[in-house]
């Protein structure tokens, strides 16, 4: 047998189902062998992982890398450097750039900008009121998933009407791409924010007052109904409240293909942190009252919330620290601190390491069509690995973030136990001994060619606009023309 390119010896492999001591042989970009320690023979390079844990690299399905249009906050180089440093080997990047990723042309432009990526990525296409006729083109152009802003946030993209959403869901359902939802209902928030602003309110907690959990309950319910009707596969982004778990669970119980994610800030921060953090804590949806946290942890452990993601949302320190809460930037960088924070939660006994692998790697890969290539440590899978020291104690320091222009995080100063020491992307180190591998720049590839989507189960396809208007005739004629 030819020698492996790389043999990782002495580590403990952790999957979503269990852990075991094993050596890993890597050939080219993939895992070629997994064997009991000492059994795998020779290799060009041997890497000693004794005492360390080897996890599938995390897949963060929710990052904002800002280019084009807001590269003064972040770009693909800095954003994916942060991912590599955080043990994150795949990211899905959001379409609220300028221009938004709403057309095949904008998508092609973003692919060019992503050519500096250091880890693999998927690009979100936008589902909006005015681009329903672009959705097929976005899919053909390589969109890995879709994003629908039911509520306003950075970029102030208008939220589509429920009518436009329904047609968009009908179109996307045929292809199986997942539609990720910013599930906050815009009209409720606009109404409340206007009244709060008119009353002169502009403190950090007023932002929470404009976005009570009812905005999320309403949006999750509505999106789930549309998903059920059309067979579209949907994903609820950044679940912030215990309240939206009920409509999520109900939809899951009815068989709707609906997944959910939460982010470290909703698990680890609450209203008690607003005074200390000021506008730095601002994020959409907002961090809420303390009681939500326990229910979100429980939902992560019982599987209701299947994914952990970051909503990595870089803004400059000046943009973040605006004392007028309506003007302050929403969100903060997260892709670099995700695994340290979650490993610390493992150390504290909040979830098991295997469950962290499930929510950070296996489930995201499953939900977004990346199995068997990513999300697991298995023969034939990409050698996307995060090699972890569970005992390492560090303090999160925003001045050291690789999101160079957005060095602000509400977790600054937090002491954490557990740290990725090395990250491999398709068999190559992109971070080694806590140092970014400079030559990793440009290695990242789009995952859209790997994706395997399950065929959708359309429920009401006979009532879809496409079937009523006949726009699907393969010869280009409409139903009306065929009947004439
Ligand atoms: O706080 C947020 N910031 N929430 C979002 O949904 C978007 C993000 C951004 O792009 O800044
Ligand atoms: Zn986001």
């Amino acid at each position: 047998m030819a020698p492996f390119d790389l043999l990782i010896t002495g580590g403990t492999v952790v999957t979503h189902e269990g852990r075991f001591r094993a050596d890993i042989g890597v050939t080219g970009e993939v895992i070629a062998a997994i064997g009991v320690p000492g059994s795998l023979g020779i290799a060009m390079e041997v890497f000693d992982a004794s005492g360390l844990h080897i996890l599938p690299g995390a897949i963060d399905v929710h990052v904002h890398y800002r280019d084009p249009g807001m590269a003064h906050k972040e770009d693909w180089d800095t954003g994916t450097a942060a991912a590599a440093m955080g043990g994150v080997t795949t990211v899905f990047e959001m379409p609220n750039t300028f221009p938004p990723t709403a057309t095949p042309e904008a998508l092609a432009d973003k692919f060019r900008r992503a050519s500096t990526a250091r880890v693999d990525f998927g690009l979100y296409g936008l589902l909006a009121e005015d681009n329903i006729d672009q959705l097929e083109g976005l899919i053909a152009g390589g969109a890995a998933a879709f994003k629908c802003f039911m509520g306003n946030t950075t970029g102030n993209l208008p939220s589509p009407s429920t009518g436009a959403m329904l047609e968009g869901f009908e179109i996307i359902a045929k292809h199986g791409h997942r539609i990720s939802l910013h599930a906050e209902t815009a009209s409720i928030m606009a109404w409340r924010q206007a009244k709060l602003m008119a009353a002169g309110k502009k403190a950090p907690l007023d932002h929470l007052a404009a976005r009570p959990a009812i905005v999320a309950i309403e949006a999750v319910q509505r999106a789930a109904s549309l998903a059920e009707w059309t067979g579209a596969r949907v994903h609820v982004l950044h679940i912030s409240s215990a309240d939206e778990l009920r409509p999520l669970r109900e939809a899951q119980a009815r068989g709707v293909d609906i997944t959910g994610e939460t982010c470290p800030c909703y698990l680890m921060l609450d209203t008690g942190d607003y005074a200390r953090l000021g506008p730095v804590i601002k994020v959409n949806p907002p961090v809420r009252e303390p009681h939500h946290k326990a229910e979100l942890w429980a939902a992560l452990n019982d599987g209701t919330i299947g994914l952990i993601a970051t909503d990595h949302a870089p803004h400059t320190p000046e943009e973040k620290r605006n004392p007028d809460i309506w003007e302050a930037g929403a969100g903060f960088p997260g892709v670099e601190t995700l695994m340290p924070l979650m490993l610390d939660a493992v150390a504290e006994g909040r979830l098991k390491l295997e469950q962290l692998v499930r929510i950070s790697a296996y489930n995201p890969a499953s939900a977004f069509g990346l199995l068997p290539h990513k999300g697991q440590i298995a023969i034939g899978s990409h050698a996307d690995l995060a090699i972890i020291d569970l005992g390492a104690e560090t303090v999160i320091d925003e001045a050291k973030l690789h999101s160079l222009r957005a060095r602000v995080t509400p977790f600054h100063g937090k002491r954490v136990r557990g740290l990725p020491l090395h990250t491999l992307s398709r068999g190559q180190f992109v971070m080694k001994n806590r140092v970014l591998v400079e030559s990793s720049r440009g290695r990242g590839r789009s995952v859209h060619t790997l994706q395997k989507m399950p065929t959708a189960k359309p429920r009401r396809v006979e009532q879809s606009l496409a079937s009523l208007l006949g726009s699907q005739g393969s010869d280009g004629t409409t139903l009306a023309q065929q009947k004439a």
Side-chain angles (χ1 to χ4, degrees):
M1 194 163 119
F4 300 110
D5 294 322
L6 173 68
L7 192 57
I8 304 169
T9 60
T12 299
V13 172
V14 188
T15 74
H16 60 288
E17 289 171 321
R19 66 183 89 180
F20 48 89
R21 297 279 309 279
D23 293 351
I24 297 177
V26 176
T27 299
E29 301 189 337
V30 300
I31 296 170
I34 304 170
V36 292
S39 70
L40 289 189
I42 53 169
M44 308 294 283
E45 181 188 348
V46 176
F47 186 83
D48 181 6
S50 299
L52 303 178
H53 286 72
I54 306 173
L55 278 52
I59 299 172
D60 185 350
V61 302
H62 191 167
V63 305
H64 300 263
Y65 282 164
R66 307 302 195 196
D67 192 21
M70 292 181 282
H72 69 283
K73 300 174 193 272
E74 181 85 293
D75 60 29
W76 281 85
D77 186 4
T78 53
T80 55
M85 293 303 293
V88 175
T89 52
T90 304
V91 293
F92 278 59
E93 203 268 344
M94 288 293 174
N96 58 332
T97 40
F98 287 119
T101 320
T103 63
E105 295 71 34
L107 182 69
D109 175 66
K110 192 171 270 188
F111 271 120
R112 283 190 289 275
R113 293 168 194 272
S115 64
T116 56
R118 296 167 183 273
V119 299
D120 289 347
F121 60 88
L123 296 185
Y124 274 101
L126 184 70
L127 190 182
E129 184 84 11
D130 59 359
N131 81 331
I132 299 299
D133 57 347
Q134 304 291 315
L135 299 177
E136 296 277 6
L138 284 164
I139 291 169
F146 284 86
K147 169 75 174 274
C148 176
F149 288 93
M150 299 176 78
N152 62 296
T153 187
T154 304
N156 279 322
L157 295 172
S159 302
S161 64
T162 310
M165 281 179 67
L166 178 61
E167 187 177 1
F169 279 31
E170 289 170 353
I171 293 167
I172 296 167
K174 287 185 293 182
H175 301 272
H177 289 58
R178 198 166 285 275
I179 304 166
S180 292
L181 304 154
H182 184 114
E184 290 189 294
T185 293
S187 59
I188 304 176
M189 301 189 295
W191 185 271
R192 292 174 71 90
Q193 184 174 328
K195 300 251 163 153
L196 289 160
M197 287 176 82
K201 295 191 177 288
K202 54 180 174 186
L205 275 167
D206 297 321
H207 178 249
L208 171 59
R211 295 171 176 252
I214 184 63
V215 305
I217 301 171
E218 201 280 337
V220 171
Q221 255 163 215
R222 186 153 46 95
S225 296
L226 300 179
E228 184 168 25
W229 186 266
T230 58
R233 309 169 70 225
V234 295
H235 175 64
V236 182
L237 298 160
H238 42 45
I239 294 174
S240 62
S241 72
D243 305 82
E244 64 208 276
L245 296 173
R246 183 181 54 78
L248 177 63
R249 287 191 174 112
E250 286 171 359
Q252 288 170 342
R254 294 199 304 276
V256 180
D257 190 338
I258 183 169
T259 53
E261 80 186 23
T262 191
C263 314
C265 60
Y266 306 114
L267 295 165
M268 300 177 189
L269 300 173
D270 60 47
T271 42
D273 296 298
Y274 275 68
R276 175 174 65 86
L277 293 168
V280 170
I281 202 171
K282 180 180 173 184
V283 57
N284 297 327
V287 166
R288 301 189 183 282
E289 297 78 6
H291 74 90
H292 294 281
K293 293 190 296 188
E295 290 196 54
L296 293 175
W297 277 114
L300 263 187
N301 276 311
D302 72 19
T304 307
I305 299 178
L307 284 71
I308 187 84
T310 66
D311 195 5
H312 177 85
H315 300 279
T316 66
E318 298 71 41
E319 290 166 340
K320 272 308 282 178
R321 298 213 158 90
N322 192 321
D324 179 344
I325 202 61
W326 311 116
E327 296 297 323
F332 23 79
V335 75
E336 190 165 355
T337 49
L338 170 72
M339 290 304 281
L341 288 167
M342 294 305 292
L343 289 165
D344 187 62
V346 170
E348 289 198 331
R350 291 201 165 273
L351 81 169
K352 287 177 57 182
L353 191 54
E354 287 82 355
Q355 185 67 3
L356 177 55
V357 169
R358 188 180 290 273
I359 63 177
S360 66
Y362 186 82
N363 285 350
S366 170
F368 287 80
L370 299 180
L371 288 176
H373 305 284
K374 295 190 180 291
Q376 57 182 9
I377 295 179
I379 291 171
S381 297
H382 286 169
D384 288 355
L385 304 171
I387 304 182
I388 308 288
D389 181 350
L390 287 180
E393 291 201 27
T394 49
V395 175
I396 292 177
D397 180 357
E398 61 191 7
K400 296 198 176 130
L401 292 177
H402 286 71
S403 293
L404 299 179
R405 300 186 284 288
R407 288 176 153 170
V408 192
T409 167
F411 296 109
H412 178 66
K414 185 175 166 71
R415 182 171 296 277
V416 289
R417 180 134 61 99
L419 193 67
L421 296 187
H422 322 282
T423 307
L424 288 97
S425 163
R426 281 182 283 103
Q428 299 282 321
F429 284 93
V430 293
M431 188 257 288
K432 199 171 194 179
N433 296 314
R434 293 298 307 151
V435 177
L436 184 69
V437 175
E438 263 314 319
S439 61
S440 62
R441 194 168 187 271
R443 279 202 85 245
R445 282 205 306 246
S446 172
V447 297
H448 75 278
T449 53
L450 306 172
Q451 284 179 301
K452 247 200 297 304
M453 312 291 190
T455 30
K457 285 183 287 173
R459 318 253 165 146
R460 296 295 175 151
V461 71
E462 78 284 355
Q463 289 175 32
S464 74
L465 278 172
S467 75
L468 295 171
L469 301 175
S471 60
Q472 316 164 293
S474 54
D475 58 356
T477 58
T478 66
L479 197 66
Q481 284 168 332
Q482 288 161 15
K483 279 187 179 151

